[in-house]
Amino acid sequence: MMFCDDLLAMDIPPKNYKPLLVFINHKSGGQQGVQVLRELKALLTPEQSISLLNETPVGPSNGLTQFGKKPNLHILVCGGDGTAGWILQEMMDKRDDFRNLDWIPPIAVLPLGTGNDLARVLNWGGGYTPSQKLEKILEKIQNRSVPKKLDRWQVKITPNDESAFSQEPQLFVLNNYFSVGLDAQIALQFHNMRESNPGLFKSRTLNKGIYGIYGMQKLIDTPPCVSDFGLSIGVNGKDIDGEILKKLQCVVWQNIPSYSGGAVLWKTVDPNDNLEMPCAMDDGILELVGLRNIKQLVGIQTSVQSGTKLGQGNIFNISVTTECPIQVDGEPMIIGPSDIEISPLNVAVMLSKLPHT
């Protein structure tokens, strides 16, 4: 697992040699990443423990160029789902030299973020705590984990209003989920508060508490239904009934079976329904789920309710006719009237911990 210059230089190293490249976002987890970085540099070698924000240029590019194509290499990302997405985007989207490798380094995630949905579905847990021994986690990466494919999707947003500043499409990558409406509005409020008051967000628990406060405000407010944004949705060429959308305050396109910190939107599949499949991260399909209101969202997060199933597919054509909040993998924004297309992009390789280990 530790870097050894002689073994790294071999074209065909011993099969049991699995060098580990570690990327750490030391600002994740309310500065928890600083301590993780310090401990990992002591457990491993400094050159294989890379602080993303201390690199020039910032990010994983240097580490991937120097070590990323070594045989049997594994990668550990210490941060939130956004940090994992950062590494995936560099490897799979910004450069061409990783996609067709015989060995694409699989990626494990040490969860230092707030929601950590990707880490959850890979069995690395909902949040790292100092009581967990990093030595044991490294041992599980080495001996008790297996590669797991992750479908990745392109979200193409094209303004269709002549008054828009630019008509050029914006491209985003979906690893976890995409949504329109209520949850994006809550995420945007949280994001704006964190940007203006970063000192308040020093722990995962406090972050979740502030997020929850914004959610509870929606019990008092009356958020718009997604139909108020002029939302229309086509799934593999078939339109979703507009009358259904008039009853929903949020619509979610889900790639992995964990949402907003571990909630399950797409629950148990009816064994008698041959057309419906469970939510999986490697089946080439997205689940489309509706949420009626904040009460249903709270019910989902407390496991007493599930989302409203709207369909499954791999090509989605979406339109909004007015400004509306959206989020892509937890990154919220406001868009104007737009056409949106979601389609398959590529497949990454993650590292999943074997259950019960």
Side-chain angles (χ1 to χ4, degrees):
M1 178 169 288
M2 293 181 66
F3 275 12
C4 170
D5 291 340
D6 291 340
L7 291 174
L8 284 174
M10 292 183 179
D11 292 331
I12 306 177
K15 288 185 178 180
N16 61 352
Y17 180 56
K18 300 177 183 178
L20 183 69
L21 180 62
V22 184
F23 292 112
I24 304 123
N25 184 345
H26 68 255
K27 289 190 176 181
S28 289
Q31 309 300 317
Q32 191 179 34
V34 174
Q35 180 62 30
V36 170
L37 174 63
R38 186 179 301 117
E39 292 185 29
L40 285 172
K41 283 193 172 183
L43 290 169
L44 302 169
T45 63
E47 65 176 344
Q48 73 187 109
S49 305
I50 297 174
S51 176
L52 291 163
L53 301 180
N54 290 338
E55 289 288 284
T56 305
V58 169
S61 178
N62 292 339
L64 290 173
T65 298
Q66 187 173 2
F67 302 113
K69 299 178 188 176
K70 299 295 183 182
N72 296 349
L73 182 80
H74 291 56
I75 292 175
L76 171 63
V77 175
C78 304
D81 288 348
T83 306
W86 189 6
I87 309 304
L88 286 169
Q89 190 167 36
E90 181 68 32
M91 286 178 60
M92 304 300 296
D93 307 329
K94 290 187 176 181
R95 47 202 299 171
D96 300 324
D97 50 347
F98 276 90
R99 295 176 203 155
N100 298 317
L101 291 177
D102 291 335
W103 175 261
I104 298 176
I107 300 174
V109 182
L110 184 72
L112 301 182
T114 302
N116 301 310
D117 288 293
L118 184 56
R120 291 173 191 270
V121 300
L122 295 171
N123 298 321
W124 297 110
Y128 169 76
T129 62
S131 63
Q132 297 173 277
K133 298 295 185 183
L134 284 175
E135 297 96 321
K136 291 185 177 181
I137 293 172
L138 294 177
E139 190 274 331
K140 290 174 181 177
I141 292 173
Q142 181 82 358
N143 300 315
R144 305 181 192 181
S145 59
V146 293
K148 177 79 171 177
K149 290 184 178 180
L150 172 69
D151 297 327
R152 303 177 72 244
W153 304 78
Q154 177 175 273
V155 180
K156 180 181 179 181
I157 302 176
T158 306
N160 59 24
D161 188 344
E162 292 182 359
S163 64
F165 178 75
S166 172
Q167 303 290 328
E168 289 297 314
Q170 290 181 285
L171 301 179
F172 301 91
V173 177
L174 186 167
N175 296 313
N176 295 1
Y177 44 80
F178 168 78
S179 67
V180 174
L182 174 64
D183 72 335
Q185 188 177 26
I186 296 171
L188 186 62
Q189 289 179 293
F190 177 85
H191 172 79
N192 290 340
M193 173 63 78
R194 184 165 56 181
E195 289 294 302
S196 58
N197 299 278
L200 292 176
F201 298 82
K202 293 184 176 180
S203 75
R204 187 182 302 115
T205 301
L206 183 58
N207 291 356
K208 288 183 176 181
I210 295 173
Y211 207 101
I213 290 172
Y214 285 126
M216 290 302 102
Q217 286 180 345
K218 301 307 174 188
L219 289 170
I220 303 171
D221 302 337
T222 305
C225 291
V226 292
S227 58
D228 295 335
F229 303 123
L231 178 69
S232 62
I233 304 170
V235 184
N236 290 3
K238 183 179 180 181
D239 292 337
I240 297 294
D241 186 349
E243 292 301 311
I244 296 175
L245 299 180
K246 290 179 180 179
K247 302 175 183 178
L248 304 173
Q249 293 181 357
C250 177
V251 177
V252 181
W253 287 256
Q254 187 175 22
N255 186 43
I256 64 174
S258 179
Y259 164 80
S260 190
V264 179
L265 288 181
W266 189 273
K267 284 204 173 177
T268 307
V269 173
D270 183 350
N272 297 317
D273 188 343
N274 295 325
L275 299 179
E276 183 182 315
M277 294 182 289
C279 179
M281 61 192 285
D282 58 353
D283 60 357
I285 290 174
L286 292 177
E287 281 64 43
L288 181 61
V289 186
L291 303 175
R292 294 187 302 275
N293 49 43
I294 190 65
K295 290 182 180 179
Q296 186 183 20
L297 179 56
V298 172
I300 291 168
Q301 292 177 326
T302 53
S303 301
V304 297
Q305 295 188 51
S306 59
T308 302
K309 296 178 179 179
L310 301 177
Q312 295 174 297
N314 60 4
I315 297 291
F316 296 84
N317 296 104
I318 306 151
S319 179
V320 293
T321 60
T322 186
E323 283 193 349
C324 75
I326 67 167
Q327 67 166 335
V328 186
D329 283 356
E331 296 297 322
M333 67 197 78
I334 297 289
I335 63 169
S338 301
D339 296 318
I340 306 169
E341 180 181 356
I342 304 177
S343 57
L345 178 61
N346 54 44
V347 178
V349 183
M350 308 303 291
L351 203 59
S352 177
K353 183 173 74 72
L354 293 172
H356 312 302
T357 61

